[in-house]
Amino acid sequence: MDEIAAKLADIRDRHGPRSIASYAGTMAHITTAPTAAPLHNALFDALGSEMRFDPNTIDKGGKQVAQSLLGYWAAPPQGFDAPEAVLLIGINPMVTCTGFPAGSPKKWLLDTLAGGCKLIVVDPRRTDVALHADWYLQAAPGHDIAILAAMLRIVIDEGLFDQDFVARHVRGLPELTAAVHRFDPEDVARRAGIAGADLVSAARCYAGAKRGYTMAGTGPNMAGEGTLVEYLVLVLETLCGRWLRAGETVSASPTLLPSYVPVAQAKSPDADWALQGRVRVRGLRKTRAGMPTATLPEEILTPGEGQVRALISWGGNPAVAFPDQRQTVEALESLELFVQIDPWYSASARLADYVIAPTMPLEAPSTTVFLDALAARGTGYGIGQAYAQYSPAVVERPEGSDLLEEWRFFYGLMKRLGYPVEVTPFGCPSSPRRPIDGVRTTEELIEILSQDSAIPLSEIKSHPDGITRTSRLLEVQPGDPDVLDRLDIGNGLMLAQLAGHAGVVELSQPDRPYRLLCRRHLHVYNSSCNIDRTHRGVPYNPAYLHPDDMTELGLSDGTLIRISSDLSEITAVAMKDPALRTGLVSMAFGYGPTDHDEEVWAVGSSPSRLVSISEKFDRFTGQPRMTNIPVSIERADAHAARDHPTVL
Ligand SMILES: Nc1nc2c(c(=O)[nH]1)N[C@H]1C(S)=C(S)[C@@H](COP(=O)(O)OP(=O)(O)OC[C@H]3O[C@@H](n4cnc5c(=O)[nH]c(N)nc54)[C@H](O)[C@@H]3O)O[C@H]1N2
Ligand SMILES: Nc1nc2c(c(=O)[nH]1)N[C@H]1C(S)=C(S)[C@@H](COP(=O)(O)OP(=O)(O)OC[C@H]3O[C@@H](n4cnc5c(=O)[nH]c(N)nc54)[C@H](O)[C@@H]3O)O[C@H]1N2
Ligand SMILES: [Mo]
């Protein structure tokens, strides 16, 4: 910490505060949010650097931008509370625990379906969740915008929307009606390779249900126009009146976050999607989704005032997770100071100047405040209940280890840099700062940061197994009839983008006849947990192909193939998957990287190497196309095939 603080001070003085950036990856949010996030924010506030990145803008960043283009409803959506219809687009909750209440997604689904709920799934791969669908639309990738627009047209043409809600709280219906007119359902369905009758009846079923929700996952969000996808989802939700009304209860009321008053009232959009904070490349900027993370390597590599020279990365693995892997690795290697906080010697740790070994989650006390924050994020997140738990450390740290809880690292840097240590609690950016100088234990820190929780921490602590509040839940209050704000379903920016949307994926490129899709595995979490105990002899990520494509390419399970995009190429292990449409190759990320074919069996392959940051990207979040990427496939070496241990 002495050395790192001295280097940070030097870089700050020579290049300015903006030259110091941070990246808070997936595990920074999941494991240490309640304690480390406030300290990290305090350090970067004190430094005066806005250059704080996280994975949201390479995930589903369109959600927050779309919310701000539509406007806000001052109460939550119906979400997980007793849906009669669920529409899932490119998301697989049975494996990923997003889109259904986190916990026991399968049990929740079976219970919900038994109660009469209808399930509609749009995915080019017949996923675990698609097996339970009433309508499974196996659309080709990249058609989600056209499919959503066609559904909107059906809902409007057939008058299936919530007329009263729309009349009182919504504007822009005429503009929307005109914009979706060209998306003829039969035409859209034919191009996407699905039956027109299915699309029409699925739309009728969804809009006909009194309650329900739509969740778009990484699939549609990674296709290059995530903001527009998410805007159309919100428009569908708004037309169907999926927002809680006066007198309804908020089932996922806050527990560890402060309470608030939900009101049945619209707040018109006010162009707040764009925030202070700019990157220097491709005209992109900070939005409500955060800094455009796909630009961080360019920020590091582009000379000029404010060039990023130092990076503190925690709970993330940029070397495998960022698009354009070669450029990312080049950027990380060029930094003056690269600090990686990671319990594993990850691909990023290998490139770092300093690797800090943090405690693992069970080795430190924590709370479930992150679940609360997820619920507040929007439909499809969280556990759908008012739940809270405090857990003490339950595992001893290894004897003689020099593990450091993340918050202590940020605290240590602040002390050494001479900054007063004042923090705002996780999830409460406008809450007053609290001095924590002299705080000794993590328990004390959690006490200070939980002072405004809706349920007092002492009460939560008295339920060691966790507390689920079922009474005294928040009730939605009536709106003020004099407020004339409206949700905007005819946003000019969005409808202009829709007008320019081809309605089809780009004409197939003869030299790149396959499309690379994103997917996830049950037994790993991105690049985390790929260890013997979980992967059970399959440490690599197969490249799944339809059996007909395997035959045509002359492949069998375990053949090594070369997958090439316009940017780069990787070697991967081919495996059949009859659940796919033909013409597709489906691969999880978070594996590799390797430049040596023979290592693929041991570490897997990195699809991030094939993703271009600039060829196609969301103009708001900067998120590049990370699925539906045109690729070509050939046998890597006819002799390289060998017996492989198991099929995943
Ligand atoms: N090609 C392609 N790229 C993608 C995606 C894709 O589908 N395809 N998905 C995108 C998405 S959705 C996301 S969210 C990002 C993810 O991007 P990242 O968050 O950057 O990647 P992860 O692999 O989740 O990184 C987790 C890191 O945390 C470490 N870790 C594990 N446990 C702990 C812990 O307890 N404490 C700390 N401090 N660290 C821990 C792991 O060793 C690992 O290095 O990647 C994106 N990139
Ligand atoms: N077990 C496990 N759980 C996880 C993770 C993990 O690695 N393992 N990762 C976590 C993270 S960081 C995230 S962001 C979430 C992600 O959670 P999900 O979004 O559920 O992720 P996937 O399972 O990859 O599902 C994406 C689906 O989109 C489909 N798809 C691809 N392209 C398209 C397209 O153009 N259109 C449509 N309609 N579908 C398409 C793919 O076939 C795939 O089934 O999961 C989280 N949970
Ligand atoms: Mo993610």
Side-chain angles (χ1 to χ4, degrees):
M1 278 194 274
D2 291 344
E3 287 179 28
I4 293 169
K7 287 183 185 175
L8 284 175
D10 175 52
I11 291 171
R12 175 199 60 196
D13 296 344
R14 277 189 292 125
H15 302 291
R18 191 189 186 281
S19 64
I20 302 175
S22 71
Y23 175 62
T26 303
M27 287 302 173
H29 300 274
I30 288 178
T31 66
T32 54
T35 51
L39 270 296
H40 157 266
N41 291 340
L43 171 64
F44 275 76
D45 285 350
L47 279 167
S49 173
E50 275 298 323
M51 301 298 277
R52 311 168 201 185
F53 296 80
D54 65 54
N56 194 40
T57 48
I58 48 173
D59 183 338
K60 299 180 282 294
K63 286 191 194 287
Q64 290 80 34
V65 179
Q67 279 168 4
S68 99
L69 295 174
L70 179 96
Y72 304 94
W73 187 248
Q78 296 167 348
F80 297 144
D81 193 3
E84 293 173 13
V86 173
L87 169 57
L88 299 178
I89 309 172
I91 184 166
N92 186 18
M94 309 288 257
V95 162
T96 62
C97 290
T98 48
F100 289 167
S104 302
K106 184 168 182 184
K107 182 180 182 316
W108 182 84
L109 177 64
L110 295 182
D111 290 350
T112 304
L113 294 181
C117 176
K118 300 292 179 205
L119 177 64
I120 304 157
V121 173
V122 184
D123 198 307
R125 179 169 66 97
R126 201 182 326 106
T127 56
D128 314 56
V129 79
L131 297 173
H132 297 271
D134 297 278
W135 282 273
Y136 169 44
L137 309 178
Q138 191 167 24
H143 288 264
D144 305 291
I145 288 168
I147 288 172
L148 278 161
M151 288 181 130
L152 291 171
R153 181 176 141 168
I154 296 162
V155 171
I156 296 170
D157 284 358
E158 302 189 8
L160 301 174
F161 56 92
D162 186 332
Q163 318 263 349
D164 178 54
F165 184 80
V166 170
R168 284 174 56 182
H169 299 296
V170 176
R171 71 174 192 226
L173 183 59
E175 294 85 349
L176 176 72
T177 307
V180 297
H181 184 72
R182 75 188 177 94
F183 294 90
D184 172 60
E186 282 298 332
D187 189 37
V188 167
R190 186 176 41 75
R191 291 169 193 238
I194 56 177
D198 285 349
L199 179 57
V200 173
S201 55
R204 285 180 184 153
C205 166
Y206 184 72
K210 283 202 191 60
R211 300 176 67 88
Y213 71 90
T214 298
M215 175 71 169
T218 46
N221 274 281
M222 289 186 173
E225 292 178 275
T227 301
L228 180 56
V229 167
E230 292 294 344
Y231 181 74
L232 296 178
V233 166
L234 285 176
V235 168
L236 179 64
E237 299 299 77
T238 300
L239 281 176
C240 295
R242 303 278 192 240
W243 304 101
L244 292 187
R245 311 303 162 78
E248 294 194 278
T249 43
V250 178
S251 55
S253 291
T255 54
L256 278 151
L257 286 179
S259 194
Y260 68 99
V261 180
V263 183
Q265 189 165 310
K267 181 183 173 301
S268 300
D270 53 11
D272 71 343
W273 66 269
L275 299 180
Q276 293 300 317
R278 283 201 177 268
V279 291
R280 298 173 301 144
V281 291
R282 289 190 281 138
L284 290 163
R285 61 182 306 157
K286 185 176 180 185
T287 67
R288 284 201 1 107
M291 290 295 259
T293 292
T295 66
L296 179 52
E298 293 164 282
E299 269 291 344
I300 296 170
L301 291 169
T302 307
E305 210 185 311
Q307 180 181 11
V308 171
R309 302 307 306 140
L311 177 66
I312 301 179
S313 155
W314 53 303
N317 196 355
V320 295
F322 283 14
D324 195 344
Q325 186 178 49
R326 273 184 207 283
Q327 191 190 43
T328 302
V329 169
E330 186 193 335
L332 295 174
E333 283 174 335
S334 77
L335 286 164
E336 282 179 41
L337 175 66
F338 176 22
V339 179
Q340 170 80 6
I341 309 179
D342 203 321
W344 307 92
Y345 200 44
S346 63
S348 297
R350 282 163 208 273
L351 302 173
D353 301 301
Y354 294 88
V355 185
I356 307 293
T359 46
M360 295 291 278
L362 299 181
E363 291 166 333
S366 193
T367 73
T368 53
V369 67
F370 182 69
L371 285 177
D372 250 22
L374 276 181
R377 198 177 176 88
T379 304
Y381 292 102
I383 63 169
Q385 295 172 0
Y387 173 81
Q389 190 188 20
Y390 169 87
S391 58
V394 294
V395 173
E396 292 290 330
R397 299 178 193 187
E399 212 172 308
S401 66
D402 53 3
L403 302 180
L404 197 62
E405 282 161 76
E406 276 99 334
W407 74 265
R408 290 186 195 276
F409 175 70
F410 294 117
Y411 182 91
L413 293 184
M414 290 188 82
K415 294 303 261 185
R416 286 166 176 79
L417 289 163
Y419 297 137
V421 193
E422 293 176 346
V423 295
T424 49
F426 173 77
C428 315
S430 47
S431 160
R433 290 169 189 277
R434 285 155 212 192
I436 59 156
D437 256 328
V439 78
R440 254 192 272 269
T441 64
T442 306
E443 287 85 344
E444 273 175 69
L445 180 64
I446 291 175
E447 292 281 351
I448 295 172
L449 292 174
S450 308
Q451 277 163 12
D452 297 332
S453 62
I455 303 180
L457 186 64
S458 54
E459 189 182 338
I460 295 168
K461 278 185 164 176
S462 68
H463 294 78
D465 296 336
I467 176 169
T468 305
R469 181 172 265 188
T470 50
S471 61
R472 288 183 294 146
L473 296 170
L474 295 182
E475 185 176 312
V476 180
Q477 302 302 308
D480 178 347
D482 293 336
V483 173
L484 298 177
D485 278 28
R486 294 275 186 275
L487 300 177
D488 184 9
I489 60 172
N491 177 279
L493 287 171
M494 290 286 93
L495 295 191
Q497 195 177 332
L498 182 63
H501 186 75
V504 277
V505 278
E506 307 77 76
L507 291 175
S508 65
Q509 288 172 239
D511 57 330
R512 304 259 183 256
Y514 290 88
R515 295 289 172 138
L516 176 69
L517 301 187
C518 62
R519 65 160 291 157
R520 275 160 168 74
H521 291 305
L522 184 60
H523 62 288
V524 293
Y525 208 92
N526 303 343
S527 70
S528 292
C529 314
N530 189 19
I531 53 172
D532 295 347
R533 288 285 183 86
T534 56
H535 67 57
R536 296 182 186 148
V538 188
Y540 55 90
N541 52 337
Y544 292 103
L545 287 145
H546 189 275
D548 292 352
D549 290 329
M550 296 276 284
T551 308
E552 192 173 312
L553 288 161
L555 310 176
S556 48
D557 279 356
T559 313
L560 284 188
I561 53 174
R562 187 100 61 212
I563 307 176
S564 311
S565 72
D566 284 349
L567 183 70
S568 189
E569 57 177 38
I570 57 173
T571 302
V573 180
M575 196 80 72
K576 22 175 147 32
D577 183 358
L580 282 164
R581 286 177 67 101
T582 53
L584 304 175
V585 48
S586 164
M587 269 184 101
F589 87 106
Y591 291 80
T594 174
D595 289 318
H596 309 287
D597 286 1
E598 60 277 14
E599 276 176 10
V600 164
W601 293 99
V603 299
S605 337
S606 182
S608 299
R609 187 163 301 201
L610 304 175
V611 179
S612 161
I613 49 167
S614 54
E615 177 254 348
K616 179 170 182 178
F617 61 93
D618 186 281
R619 49 187 283 220
F620 298 91
T621 62
Q623 177 161 355
R625 174 164 72 174
M626 299 161 73
T627 192
N628 195 28
I629 299 168
V631 293
S632 53
I633 298 175
E634 60 191 5
R635 287 178 70 106
D637 170 3
H639 305 291
R642 55 160 231 201
D643 285 343
H644 51 89
T646 349
V647 176
L648 281 176

